[in-house]
Amino acid sequence: MAELGERPATESRQSGAYARKATGLVREVSPFSTFVFNMAGQPTSIFLAVSIFFTLGAFPGGSIWLGLAMALLAALLVCLCYGLFTSAIPRSGGDYVLVGRITHPVIGLISSFFWTSGVILSIAFVALAFVTVALGPSLTAVGLVSGDGSLVTAGEDLATSQGWQFGIGSAVILLSAVLLGGGWRWTTRIMNGLWVVTMVGLATVFFVLLFKSHDGFVNSFNQFASTITGEPDTYGSVIANADKEGIDTSPAFNLDNFWPTWAAICSLSLYSWLSIYISGEVRRAKDTTQVKVMGLASIVHIGIAAILAVVFFNKFGHDFFVAINSLGETYPFAAPPYYTFLTSIAGGSTFLAWWLFITFAVAYPLLILPNITIAVRTFFAWALDGVLPSRFARVSSRTHAPNYAIGLTVVLSILVLWWAVSNEEGFFEVLIEAVLLQLVTMILLGIAAVLLPYRRPDAWQSSATTRRLLGIPIVALAGALVAIVLAGLFAIYMAYPDLGIDKGHFFRDCAIILVASLVTFFVARAARRRQGVDVDKLAAEIPPE
């Protein structure tokens, strides 16, 4: 008997015949869990802590407000395009299935290689950042607020110890994999719970600051800081030191600095569509429900970020907030100026510091879960088409989880994590490269959406809408706009070196990924042909549900 993903020679000549009529994956993900899945791919708390306010000093006058508005428009456009596209082919596997079925199987695999490379890098980075950005600095912050020097020392040890970084990072990856191996019922419950915790944490920040006046914060900050700096007005000295370092805390709008600010905001604001990778398991994936869920996730994510940014500027003070996020060597504290640290100072409570630490830290495992899921569903789709050994498409009869694909993802992620821990220099630059690798895939998805009504009219006719605007199918129009906007975003990353991309390394790695995808496809095709399986035909057909 042929294994899953394989067919005997006589069967391979029959049109439209997969080795099995169903994937084994089941539609267990509700609209609310789909919403959380998309929110988890771009946690708002991480966005507010490490992905936006650094631009105040790096790109003065860039206007985060205009950046947030334009990021929201871009995100909604992407959601409209990918949501409508997926409704035509609601299968798990994401870009590999969508791009490959509309253009060519080889292009689909190339697209998938670029995306999955970025995902594996992201899993490793998030696992490492869980220790170096969340646990370490947060423990230090709690220690500073509570006056407990042992916590400060513990936080600094976590942030610098390679052993802790690899051990804890690996544990988070393994625990996430175990959870996914238990099936969607437990996974969605845990993800929903973690997301609620992060939202309650952000609500806590909002209400603490809402009832704290600006003058009250200045007094609380100076009282807290005086024991560390020995100065009675550390608040004022932060602004003065920023001025000495040449930081403009009240810059006029600068169009040239706006573009990299917008790009930085987009780096964690364009991913509320990630549920396309599990569309075969999402309820009501064929109607407009998923488009609405994606759009809502974008609005909630950027809306919360914008509201809290207004609160931060108002309560902390504009000049101070710009200054403390921009200071270099004169920054006075061992903990970074995350909103959790500043809000804990405003509240003056050790309990509040611990609570904000917890609600911030859980966002990292929450972010790992969808990333691992995406890689798993991609490997599953490859195996279903015969590009990987058929065991990676096997699904547990009890949990409906593809455990072999989960294992492969874990191995690759931990190997990259080890590389990241032992080669600290340049890993953040590699993460920026991961964003660009994924932009390549997102552009290809836009192009494939343009071609959908013309290359697969039958699939388009069964999609959520066949409406036209000026005679052009809406999905095609949205796809063209997505490709143009994301190509512009890609160009901005290339044009502004302060965003962290090394062009030489990037194009070298692109060439490596391209060659690897081509070698994988043609080697798999040759191997399967000897088994009587036509990989080209399999990878061109819409897979079973």
Side-chain angles (χ1 to χ4, degrees):
M1 179 181 292
E3 292 188 29
L4 299 181
E6 299 178 357
R7 295 181 299 173
T10 55
E11 188 181 356
S12 69
R13 292 191 292 270
Q14 299 174 8
S15 175
Y18 265 81
R20 67 204 211 221
K21 301 302 181 183
T23 62
L25 305 174
V26 295
R27 294 192 184 277
E28 292 184 336
V29 186
S30 68
F32 177 73
S33 294
T34 304
F35 168 78
V36 172
F37 187 92
N38 290 325
M39 289 291 290
Q42 50 180 24
T44 311
S45 54
I46 296 177
F47 176 63
L48 284 169
V50 299
S51 299
I52 178 172
F53 297 124
F54 85 93
T55 62
L56 297 172
F59 309 106
S63 179
I64 64 169
W65 312 114
L66 182 58
L68 287 167
M70 286 190 59
L72 177 58
L73 291 176
L76 290 175
L77 179 63
V78 169
C79 292
L80 175 65
C81 173
Y82 296 173
L84 292 179
F85 193 0
T86 305
S87 72
I89 310 175
R91 303 291 190 272
S92 294
D95 69 283
Y96 170 71
V97 173
L98 297 174
V99 175
R101 267 54 179 183
I102 302 304
T103 59
H104 188 278
V106 173
I107 298 176
L109 192 61
I110 291 171
S111 169
S112 193
F113 255 73
F114 272 82
W115 181 264
T116 307
S117 297
V119 167
I120 296 298
L121 285 171
S122 297
I123 293 169
F125 170 78
V126 175
L128 177 59
F130 177 60
V131 185
T132 60
V133 178
L135 297 185
S138 294
L139 272 178
T140 300
V142 173
L144 290 174
V145 172
S146 64
D148 189 337
S150 63
L151 290 178
V152 174
T153 301
E156 292 174 344
D157 288 344
L158 278 177
T160 56
S161 168
Q162 291 187 353
W164 281 115
Q165 291 167 11
F166 181 72
I168 296 175
S170 297
V172 173
I173 293 173
L174 287 168
L175 286 173
S176 299
V178 169
L179 182 63
L180 289 168
W184 274 124
R185 179 175 299 178
W186 289 108
T187 301
T188 53
R189 287 177 181 175
I190 297 297
M191 288 186 68
N192 295 350
L194 291 177
W195 180 75
V196 168
V197 170
T198 65
M199 290 297 102
V200 173
L202 292 176
T204 302
V205 170
F206 176 79
F207 284 110
V208 167
L209 297 180
L210 182 66
F211 295 103
K212 187 80 172 183
S213 68
H214 168 64
D215 289 341
F217 172 76
V218 173
N219 291 333
S220 296
F221 182 83
N222 282 333
Q223 289 178 10
F224 162 78
S226 62
T227 61
I228 298 172
T229 65
E231 298 179 1
D233 184 20
T234 305
Y235 184 93
S237 69
V238 166
I239 300 173
N241 287 336
D243 184 62
K244 291 177 183 177
E245 291 186 19
I247 298 167
D248 187 351
T249 57
S250 297
F253 176 73
N254 185 311
L255 181 61
D256 188 53
N257 280 345
F258 165 70
W259 298 115
T261 299
W262 175 61
I265 292 171
C266 286
S267 67
L268 202 58
S269 297
L270 296 184
Y271 299 101
S272 56
W273 53 272
L274 296 180
S275 58
I276 73 167
Y277 286 87
I278 57 169
S279 284
E281 300 143 89
V282 170
R283 299 174 195 166
R284 300 183 63 182
K286 286 189 68 65
D287 60 23
T288 58
T289 299
Q290 194 167 192
V291 178
K292 295 172 183 175
V293 167
M294 293 174 181
L296 180 62
S298 291
I299 292 170
V300 170
H301 170 65
I302 296 179
I304 290 174
I307 290 170
L308 285 175
V310 170
V311 172
F312 295 159
F313 279 108
N314 181 264
K315 300 298 183 176
F316 300 146
H318 181 277
D319 289 358
F320 171 82
F321 196 53
V322 173
I324 203 166
N325 278 282
S326 308
L327 284 178
E329 295 181 357
T330 59
Y331 179 73
F333 307 115
Y338 298 161
Y339 70 89
T340 50
F341 182 40
L342 297 178
T343 303
S344 296
I345 294 172
S349 164
T350 300
F351 175 80
L352 175 64
W354 275 111
W355 170 243
L356 295 183
F357 162 28
I358 293 169
T359 60
F360 174 59
V362 298
Y364 287 81
L366 178 64
L367 178 55
I368 286 177
L369 283 167
N371 275 283
I372 292 181
T373 301
I374 289 166
V376 167
R377 293 311 184 266
T378 299
F379 295 143
F380 175 88
W382 290 2
L384 197 64
D385 285 350
V387 176
L388 284 182
S390 59
R391 65 174 60 90
F392 294 106
R394 291 177 185 168
V395 174
S396 166
S397 59
R398 184 175 61 86
T399 64
H400 303 287
N403 292 322
Y404 282 100
I406 291 173
L408 176 60
T409 303
V410 167
V411 170
L412 293 175
S413 299
I414 291 179
L415 286 175
V416 175
L417 174 63
W418 173 251
W419 170 82
V421 169
S422 57
N423 296 274
E424 294 178 354
E425 291 188 15
F427 188 60
F428 283 88
E429 288 75 9
V430 173
L431 179 68
I432 298 300
E433 181 174 304
V435 172
L436 282 183
L437 292 175
Q438 293 178 332
L439 274 179
V440 173
T441 296
M442 293 173 70
I443 292 169
L444 287 174
L445 274 167
I447 294 171
V450 173
L451 299 175
L452 170 65
Y454 311 103
R455 299 271 295 178
R456 289 277 190 172
D458 53 335
W460 174 63
Q461 288 290 340
S462 66
S463 66
T465 181
T466 56
R467 292 181 181 178
R468 299 172 182 263
L469 181 63
L470 301 176
I472 304 173
I474 290 178
V475 67
L477 183 60
L481 291 174
V482 163
I484 292 169
V485 170
L486 296 185
L489 184 61
F490 186 94
I492 290 170
Y493 270 99
M494 290 288 105
Y496 289 86
D498 286 347
L499 285 171
I501 191 67
D502 185 317
K503 295 181 185 178
H505 289 170
F506 175 70
F507 288 116
R508 176 205 64 193
D509 294 342
C510 284
I512 293 172
I513 292 171
L514 178 61
V515 170
S517 62
L518 293 174
V519 169
T520 299
F521 182 83
F522 289 109
V523 168
R525 184 170 71 170
R528 293 297 185 180
R529 183 171 293 169
R530 289 196 295 270
Q531 299 170 343
V533 177
D534 189 341
V535 169
D536 296 76
K537 190 173 182 180
L538 275 176
E541 295 176 359
I542 295 177
E545 294 192 67

